Amino acid sequence: MKKIAFVFTQGPHGTSAGREGLDALLATSALTEDIGVFFMSDGVFQLMPAQQPEKILARNYIATFGVLSLYDVDQCFVCEDSLKSRGLSAGHEWVLDVEPLSASEIRGRLASFDVVMTF
């Protein structure tokens, strides 16, 4: 079975990329257990708790990231450099347990996957 990485680079609001990526991730989890999830660039905002998407008339799918462990998806990483450049820290409370990695460490991890899908 191929190793598949999902990279989230878009913020949670303004585009449907995050929701589409999450849907693809959950569907793929039924086929393989070798999945990695990476949050980089504005994708780190996908992890923020207590968002209020209803105030901008958006759907609330963000909390769904928290159920990934129920789908045996436990390789979840966040880019420390992306966090720092957005005024966030690795010690922040997230909707999902993520391991903070530097950008170079993320590149190294991504190289081990057969397929990389970016949302």
Side-chain angles (χ1 to χ4, degrees), residues 28-45:
T28 303
S29 71
L31 305 172
T32 181
E33 292 182 12
D34 212 349
I35 295 175
V37 185
F38 298 81
F39 297 90
M40 304 172 64
S41 189
D42 283 344
V44 300
F45 292 122

Side-chain angles (χ1 to χ4, degrees), residues 54-103:
E54 66 280 353
K55 290 192 176 185
I56 59 167
L57 304 177
R59 289 180 41 205
N60 186 7
Y61 68 90
I62 296 148
T64 308
F65 278 105
V67 302
L68 290 182
S69 62
L70 298 175
Y71 289 82
D72 293 325
V73 177
D74 53 9
Q75 294 184 71
C76 301
F77 309 97
V78 64
C79 178
E80 285 180 322
D81 302 335
S82 296
L83 291 175
K84 287 178 188 172
S85 68
R86 286 156 181 80
L88 301 169
S89 68
H92 197 279
E93 182 181 328
W94 309 113
V95 296
L96 175 66
D97 288 332
V98 289
E99 179 182 342
L101 299 174
S102 69

